[in-house]
Amino acid sequence: MERVILHSDINSCYASIECRERPELRERPMVVGGDEEARHGIVLAKNELAKGLGIRTAETLWEARRKCPELVVVPPDFDLYRRVTDGIRRIYLEYTELCEPFGLDECWLDVSRLAGNAREGEKLAQEIRRRVKREYGVTVSVGVSFNKIFAKLGSDMKKPDAVTAIPRERFRELLWPLPVGELLYVGAATGKKLARYGIRTIGEVAKADTMLLARLLGKAGPALQQNARGLDSAPVAKYGESGPPKSVGNSMTTPRDVENEEEAKLAFLALAENVARRLREQGMRGSVVSVTLRDNTLKVIDRQRRLDTPTNLSGELAEAALALLQENYRWQRPLRSLGLSVSALSEEGEGSQTSLFVEEQHRERMEKLEATVDTLRKRYGKGCVKRGVFLGLGEMGEDHGNPWKGEI
């Protein structure tokens, strides 16, 4: 039986919900924006009028105001957004329990039991689109296809308030001419790397030499080609059973710019402590450490490296993050925010190859020490134990090792 997968995306989710609550905002260019005093002053979402003036998600509010001095900025109300999106998901669940959220505003639905082909799936998508608009006062764009990757592509192709079907017999015609960056999980860095070899469209990825893609992108290369060829077979998870996380990470927007390696090291130690604690809480270790660096012009650099041994130790994560910074950043500009995440996760009980360069007895002692610190902080509060490097920093040393009091 041919699978029929929908991907439903709430259009400009935060802004749409705010306009629903205050209909007068529909007539004015408006954005939902972060806290400018805490240096989170970026556009989180925009309505159609603001979009028409060239205002973009993730640009700073001062840039948005230069484009539109009369811009209305509304602070985010995440409790409200969750209530509305939870209600919309209840509509989805009336059709199928195979309903997998992708962030707050997006969901995949496997409706194969109700729709035998893309045409029937399209009718079902139209019904869902109309119901969301009628019952919750916001619009969705829905993609219909035979796998998750193409359904997501379909929901992105027509916005707002639209349904786009990508049937199996037409996906090459509809999708292969599109830029490779339209594919899910293809970021700007991957797109640039492929472009250097003349691979710019989804069709060119599908037709490329598989060994070349593997050499350029590692395991992700052949997987990307499978997606481009329409061979994605990932199932839609049952609602509430989306499985273990694929990564654990935190980011920090600093109240003042990070201007040198010493300051960055403190920030990475703070982030590593949070990430390592969450890994231990879930009984997981990770093998790939990734950092995200955003300078004061909002230019972003993402880099990652694979560790010799899976870990959930904060010191090892911070050391790997700092090495990535040293290898990839030259301090032409100070940093506005930093992020650290860990992927390629495995359970603590799973066997792993021991590195000849790692003192295992020392690692075992550190694991016991960090587990003890976790217990103390849980019992007596986060600030009861701090690293020595954070002592004497005053306010900057609060939050048990967050030297910048940024958003973690």
Side-chain angles (χ1 to χ4, degrees), residues 139-177:
T139 64
V140 294
S141 291
V142 187
V144 185
S145 197
F146 56 95
N147 63 49
K148 292 169 70 176
I149 296 291
F150 287 175
K152 163 70 173 166
L153 249 173
S155 70
D156 290 336
M157 289 176 74
K158 292 181 185 178
K159 292 179 180 289
D161 198 17
V163 171
T164 303
I166 303 173
R168 182 182 294 275
E169 61 273 14
R170 294 191 63 207
F171 80 85
R172 295 175 183 83
E173 168 197 345
L174 295 172
L175 303 182
W176 279 14

Side-chain angles (χ1 to χ4, degrees), residues 272-282 312 374 400:
E273 287 205 351
N274 280 272
V275 172
R277 172 183 53 78
R278 289 168 56 202
L279 285 168
R280 290 190 295 271
E281 285 176 352
Q282 299 177 51
N312 54 21
D374 290 343
H400 74 274

Side-chain angles (χ1 to χ4, degrees), residues 45-57:
K46 58 199 178 296
N47 68 1
E48 288 298 311
L49 288 175
K51 181 179 179 181
L53 294 170
I55 293 172
R56 296 175 289 108
T57 301

Side-chain angles (χ1 to χ4, degrees), residues 42-103:
I42 63 171
V43 175
L44 301 175
K46 58 199 178 296
N47 68 1
E48 288 298 311
L49 288 175
K51 181 179 179 181
L53 294 170
I55 293 172
R56 296 175 289 108
T57 301
E59 74 177 335
T60 60
L61 290 176
W62 69 265
E63 288 176 310
R65 288 194 181 99
R66 283 202 311 180
K67 298 174 181 177
C68 177
E70 299 79 27
L71 185 69
V72 178
V73 180
V74 178
D77 183 346
F78 293 109
D79 288 338
L80 170 64
Y81 307 153
R82 289 189 185 95
R83 289 197 300 273
V84 175
T85 55
D86 283 348
I88 292 172
R89 286 178 190 170
R90 285 194 289 273
I91 291 179
Y92 300 156
L93 289 166
E94 292 181 29
Y95 295 86
T96 176
E97 63 181 2
L98 300 178
C99 173
E100 179 180 344
F102 188 58

